[in-house]
Amino acid sequence: MIRLLLVLCLGVSTLHAQTPADYGTTHRIKLEVGGEGRKAAFFIPKGLKKNEVLPMLVAIPDTKGKAYLEMSQCQQPAWQKRFCVLSVDIKTSGLQGWHPSEQLEMQRDMDAVLEALAKARELAQASNVELDDSAVVLTGHSGGTYLTLWLGLRRPDLFLAICGRSCVFHKDTVKFGKLDTVPPDYDMPIFLYRGELDHPRTSKQTEEAANELKKAGWKNVRYDVVSKMTHESKPEVCLDWFYRLLRETAKSRAERRKIALDLARIRPDLEAGKSGAISKLAKLAEKEAKAGIRKGEAAALLVEVEKKAGELWAEAENLEADHHLVEAAATYKKLERQYSPLQVSKDARKKRSGIVKSDGYKAEEMLVKARKYLDEGKEDKARSILEKLIEKYSDTAAAGRAEHLLQSGS
């Protein structure tokens, strides 16, 4: 009887023991990077609520480089605290690629993470899960921190923050090259920690990473030594920081999502060049700044708009320098109308006003009119205008072109 009761108790215990599946669904993702197959895992917690928006933790595996080994540490807390988890098989967590000159391995690992992120977003959408793109945090342990720091620093447009646990670090990590096209975000939160009893190499390099990051200009770097911790993952330390970060940024992230919706509504008008669209964009960028949003989407788009305006301004200046003042004035007018209320619009109005009052512009207007008459075969009218032009505006570039037309008999 005692044995039977013991068996029954053990059976009940087994029935109530929770497995990873009890916390949610882990999707298997197949990738191809550099002609080689990779695997990734994407975990979505169960029990989604209406209008729930989930942050995401991207966990880079340690020296074994296997995504599924990383997932088991995060599934229960992800279900409890409501976030998704993504992990990817990588190569650079081992000795392969542990030198700045071995950039091919690093590039392929970066590509694998970026491809996995894209696939995870597709899976989330197919599962009716809304991800919070403003709350994607990158973390890694031991050998995985080389990729974590390298990628995280170079893609602040994708990651809210970085956490390195017992770091492998090379000074080249903070040196950006020509292929690094996204500007660094020196305000990005970065949390580095290692154990009091950690491996000598990672103890030294975690501290070195913190010092080098601060020296290179990153302002929000936190470095901790965890009491009695050996060379172990200790994800709970990272997760406590992650939860606090989400709380501290909740308000600005909610505002960011709202702005993103507004931005999606005005994008068609921006692309069509409709009046008032840039004004609305500028207001959204101001909202981002007031909310303390780093690397805001509206601000980034405004930079692109200003870049295009700058290109058009350069075109107008070149026309002006070549004494094509009518075309220059028309281009400045286009700038004024298309890019209001930006400063470049105000500057263009001032520039155009100065041009149209000049003798050079008035002379060129006459030259344009004369050429029109020539095209229409009205040579007498053209000659009369050209002669008046030369007489009245003899010191202008248009006068020289008028003389050439008269002499050529055109």
Side-chain angles (χ1 to χ4, degrees), residues 14-62:
T14 303
L15 286 172
H16 284 84
Q18 289 184 300
T19 65
D22 292 322
Y23 303 124
T25 303
T26 300
H27 297 269
R28 298 171 181 269
I29 300 174
K30 291 183 179 179
L31 308 169
E32 185 172 322
V33 180
E36 297 179 349
R38 299 276 187 111
K39 294 178 182 178
F42 178 52
F43 175 79
I44 300 174
K46 70 176 185 179
L48 291 173
K49 299 175 183 177
K50 187 178 180 181
N51 299 323
E52 187 172 16
V53 182
L54 298 179
M56 179 159 59
L57 186 69
V58 180
I60 303 299
D62 61 13

Side-chain angles (χ1 to χ4, degrees), residues 58-97:
V58 180
I60 303 299
D62 61 13
T63 50
K64 294 179 182 177
K66 298 298 180 182
Y68 276 86
L69 296 177
E70 194 72 20
M71 299 300 288
S72 60
Q73 305 178 75
C74 299
Q75 287 164 324
Q76 183 176 358
W79 166 65
Q80 290 174 328
K81 295 292 186 178
R82 316 309 298 156
F83 61 92
C84 292
V85 185
L86 175 67
S87 191
V88 188
D89 287 356
I90 63 167
K91 305 285 187 181
T92 54
S93 60
L95 292 176
Q96 184 179 356

Side-chain angles (χ1 to χ4, degrees), residues 330-349:
T331 306
Y332 282 124
K333 189 173 184 178
K334 183 179 178 181
L335 269 165
E336 179 188 347
R337 289 181 173 178
Q338 190 170 334
Y339 292 97
S340 178
L342 302 183
Q343 183 61 44
V344 69
S345 171
K346 299 171 186 176
D347 293 342
R349 181 170 66 249

Side-chain angles (χ1 to χ4, degrees), residues 64-246:
K64 294 179 182 177
K66 298 298 180 182
Y68 276 86
L69 296 177
E70 194 72 20
M71 299 300 288
S72 60
Q73 305 178 75
C74 299
Q75 287 164 324
Q76 183 176 358
W79 166 65
Q80 290 174 328
K81 295 292 186 178
R82 316 309 298 156
F83 61 92
C84 292
V85 185
L86 175 67
S87 191
V88 188
D89 287 356
I90 63 167
K91 305 285 187 181
T92 54
S93 60
L95 292 176
Q96 184 179 356
W98 278 24
H99 191 277
S101 65
E102 298 172 359
Q103 285 303 293
L104 180 59
E105 289 84 355
M106 177 59 73
Q107 187 59 53
R108 286 180 175 173
D109 271 3
M110 289 173 66
D111 291 342
V113 175
L114 299 180
E115 179 66 18
L117 272 169
K119 295 280 188 183
R121 290 190 174 101
E122 290 175 9
L123 278 167
Q125 187 173 15
S127 305
N128 293 318
V129 175
E130 186 176 355
L131 294 175
D132 186 351
D133 287 335
S134 68
V136 180
V137 171
L138 185 63
T139 184
H141 172 244
S142 189
T145 57
Y146 185 21
L147 172 63
T148 299
L149 292 171
W150 191 279
L151 174 59
L153 295 177
R154 282 160 179 75
R155 294 306 302 268
D157 56 323
L158 296 177
F159 302 108
L160 170 67
I162 311 169
C163 176
R165 297 128 55 200
S166 300
C167 297
V168 171
F169 177 75
H170 298 284
K171 288 185 178 181
D172 288 65
T173 300
V174 300
K175 298 176 183 176
F176 282 53
K178 292 180 180 179
L179 297 178
D180 301 318
T181 56
V182 180
D185 180 1
Y186 292 109
D187 292 316
M188 172 185 265
I190 302 171
F191 178 37
L192 309 177
Y193 66 91
R194 53 96 171 175
E196 180 185 13
L197 308 175
D198 215 321
H199 189 280
R201 174 174 181 169
T202 51
S203 293
K204 178 183 177 182
Q205 291 192 355
T206 306
E207 183 175 357
E208 182 184 13
N211 291 335
E212 290 297 323
L213 284 165
K214 290 174 184 176
K215 191 187 300 182
W218 276 270
K219 305 168 190 173
N220 197 359
V221 180
R222 173 182 163 188
Y223 168 60
D224 283 357
V225 178
V226 181
S227 177
K228 298 180 182 179
M229 173 181 160
T230 60
H231 189 66
E232 54 189 306
S233 178
K234 279 280 185 184
E236 60 270 25
V237 179
C238 171
L239 291 174
D240 284 344
W241 165 80
F242 178 49
Y243 305 148
R244 186 166 55 254
L245 178 70
L246 292 179

Side-chain angles (χ1 to χ4, degrees), residues 340-361:
S340 178
L342 302 183
Q343 183 61 44
V344 69
S345 171
K346 299 171 186 176
D347 293 342
R349 181 170 66 249
K350 186 177 179 180
K351 264 280 192 179
R352 181 179 178 278
S353 177
I355 289 173
V356 298
K357 292 175 183 177
S358 68
D359 287 350
Y361 178 82

